[in-house]
Each structure stands twice: as structure tokens, then as C-alpha cells.
Amino acid sequence: MPKVSSVIVPYASYLRVYEPVAAFPEPERGHWARYARRPDRPSYQDELRRSLADLLPVPPVPVPVHESDDAFVTEVDGVVCVCPWRTRLRGWQALGELASGGRLPPAVLDAVLPPVVRRQSADDYERWRARNPDARPWIRTATWQVPLAWFVLVTDDEREYLTDADGPGSGAGDGPGDGEPGPGEGAPPVLRYRTPMVQARRRVARGLKALKESLGGGPLVEGLVDVGRWLEEFHPRSLVELDYGGLVHALPAEHLAADHSAADVAAGIAALRAGDSVAAGAVYARLVERWRVVRDRRSAN
């Protein structure tokens, strides 16, 4: 099996927004304009390495002391767009979810991140939020899954699946943004979707209408409302990217090649719109089973 990285890649998927540089206020606009011209921009793997390195000290550093000034960069119709990492903010949010979500037994959580460390981080976040009430991340993360609500934002036509057979320079590498090398021999595959912000928002509105009329509420509706509110925070000329990220390291090639979840979600919503609850139920069952198989790998040896 080829070595794909010098670190174990977290099995996480990502929803990212790339905003035009012009959408940022000064002095941040100037920073990103200069940053986009740098030939030595760090990669997706660099961000992961830095985060993992912070967990090695005793006690661990669950959240970076300083906010990252790095970003992913791409170009949309000749317009340079950036997706700031905001690693510190995302770290605080992830720590809060970890502590409240019951993902780890209390004894394990205390061993990995002692209570005193978590309390200090929570206090730091509370003080920071008081000074930055409107702050929001450009990146959302989900572990061992891609939330079904995310697939509403994209279509199967926007799906990009690239493997080492596609060769280097194909426009996608081991992470997001332009400037990454394309897959080469021994490189992991890339599975992602990219869509204009206006399309993503339109699909959210249409999807919510169909789901609310047919189902009323439920987790999928709640998730779509949440992601729709998040998208409204960004410039309308932004780019939205759904990236399978580290999940490509956990799933066999045949699973990735056959995964057309965005098409299935669209078919399910179309069936609800047409009043065909049987067809919609069949699609939903297929999606649940596909992603149950992925989540089951979390506890596999």
C-alpha cells in the first residue's frame, strides 16, 4: 500500500467557502492579496501536521495560541478567492463539540485532554467571543461522514473524482485550492464538488421547501437550515467546496468510484416534490446504509 503522508490523516470531510479577496476589509484584504501571490503557500497536509503537533506536549495544546494567517487559494472566473484556515476558532468549536457530544468516554477524554486544559480553553474562547461576536469559520468539518445536508448544495455534474491514474497536473491534489500538485503515482484520490455560492443558496432554498412540505422537520431539515444560515454570511460571488478530505484514505477505490451521494440526495428530494414517498424512502435507505458502512470503520481494527 503506498505511503500517502508522513502523518495519519484524520478521517474528516470538509465544507469550505472561498471568498473573493475584495470581500475582505483592510488590512486583511491586503494580507490575502499578498498571500495569494506567494509560491510557498502551505498545503492541506501542513495544516494537519501543525494541529497534530500541538497534541504532543504535556499538557497538550488543544487550541493554537495564535490564529492562523494561512488560507487555501483558488481562482474563480479570473477572481482570486481565499478560504482562511481560522484554525484557532475551529479548534475552539471542535473542542466544545467533543466535550458536549459524548464522542469519547469521560475517562478517555480526561486522559487525552485533562479537565483543567478544557476549562482554560473554554474560558479563553468565551473572552474571545465577547470581543469578536460576528466571527465565523470558512471551513466546516465532519468526522467519519459527509452530512447529507451538505449534498443538497451540489449536483452530480459538479463531482470531481481523480485518482493517480489521472496523472499529475490534473488540477487537484492532496488538498483544496489551486496550486496543489495533481495526483501522481501512489497519491491518494480526490473526491470533491465545487459550486458557485448563488447555486448553493438556491438549492438550499428549494430543498428546504420540499423537505418542509413533505416532512415538516427532522435532522435533515435542521442541518439544512443551519448550513443555509452559514452560507448567507459570505459574499455571493464565493465558491463552495465539498471535499471528502481524509475519508479517501479510509474507503476502498470501488466505494469512492460508486459514491454518487449528491445525485441520490437530489433524487430523493425530487421524489418528495413529486409526492412519491416510496421512492424517496428507498433513496434515503440507500444513503443511510452507504454512510453507516463508513461510520462503522471508526470502530474497526
Side-chain angles (χ1 to χ4, degrees):
M1 183 175 180
K3 181 180 179 182
V4 297
S5 171
S6 61
V7 299
I8 297 176
V9 178
Y11 299 126
S13 61
Y14 304 93
L15 190 63
R16 305 184 182 96
V17 172
Y18 294 78
E19 276 197 291
V21 170
F24 292 86
E26 292 289 5
E28 193 174 7
R29 182 188 307 171
H31 166 74
W32 293 131
R34 293 187 297 272
Y35 183 91
R37 294 192 293 268
R38 284 176 47 186
D40 59 340
R41 295 193 302 268
S43 70
Y44 165 73
Q45 289 292 317
D46 291 323
E47 185 192 23
L48 292 175
R49 291 187 185 98
R50 294 177 191 178
S51 298
L52 292 174
D54 283 341
L55 298 178
L56 297 178
V58 180
V61 181
V63 176
V65 176
H66 302 289
E67 185 56 274
S68 170
D69 59 358
D70 289 306
F72 299 122
V73 181
T74 193
E75 191 171 298
V76 182
D77 296 329
V79 177
V80 175
C81 297
V82 297
C83 176
W85 288 3
R86 291 296 192 269
T87 309
R88 193 181 194 211
L89 172 58
R90 290 163 52 213
W92 272 322
Q93 293 177 336
L95 185 60
E97 293 170 3
L98 182 66
S100 63
R103 298 180 184 179
L104 293 175
V108 175
L109 180 60
D110 289 347
V112 175
L113 293 170
V116 64
V117 173
R118 301 201 305 273
R119 283 196 299 270
Q120 182 62 57
S121 293
D123 291 343
D124 291 344
Y125 183 40
E126 185 175 345
R127 288 191 293 270
W128 185 88
R129 286 292 293 177
R131 300 191 303 271
N132 302 273
D134 298 324
R136 79 286 199 249
W138 278 254
I139 304 173
R140 288 192 163 198
T141 305
T143 56
W144 289 103
Q145 64 171 320
V146 178
L148 294 184
W150 292 7
F151 288 114
V152 177
L153 280 57
V154 297
T155 67
D156 196 60
D157 290 342
E158 295 161 341
R159 180 180 183 271
E160 298 177 38
Y161 177 54
L162 298 130
T163 68
D164 57 4
D166 295 297
S170 57
D174 65 349
D178 293 342
E180 297 284 353
E185 185 177 356
V190 172
L191 180 52
R192 71 182 181 189
Y193 299 78
R194 283 182 163 185
T195 192
M197 176 63 77
V198 291
Q199 292 286 8
R201 289 176 178 170
R202 185 176 295 119
R203 291 165 186 155
V204 167
R206 291 175 177 172
L208 271 176
K209 184 175 186 295
L211 290 169
K212 286 182 176 179
E213 289 178 350
S214 303
L215 306 177
L220 183 55
V221 172
E222 294 170 2
L224 197 53
V225 168
D226 179 55
V227 78
R229 288 173 177 166
W230 180 64
L231 293 180
E232 290 295 330
E233 299 287 335
F234 301 99
H235 193 280
R237 292 191 64 186
S238 299
L239 176 76
V240 179
E241 177 182 70
L242 191 167
D243 182 9
Y244 274 52
L247 292 181
V248 301
H249 299 272
L251 302 175
E254 57 270 21
H255 185 116
L256 295 172
D259 187 331
H260 288 265
S261 293
D264 288 336
V265 169
I269 291 176
L272 288 176
R273 195 176 289 120
D276 190 342
S277 59
V278 174
V283 170
Y284 183 72
R286 184 164 66 246
L287 284 163
V288 168
E289 175 60 20
R290 177 182 301 149
W291 288 101
R292 182 194 63 77
V293 170
V294 177
R295 285 191 294 272
D296 284 351
R297 291 175 176 267
R298 175 171 48 192
S299 56
N301 291 327

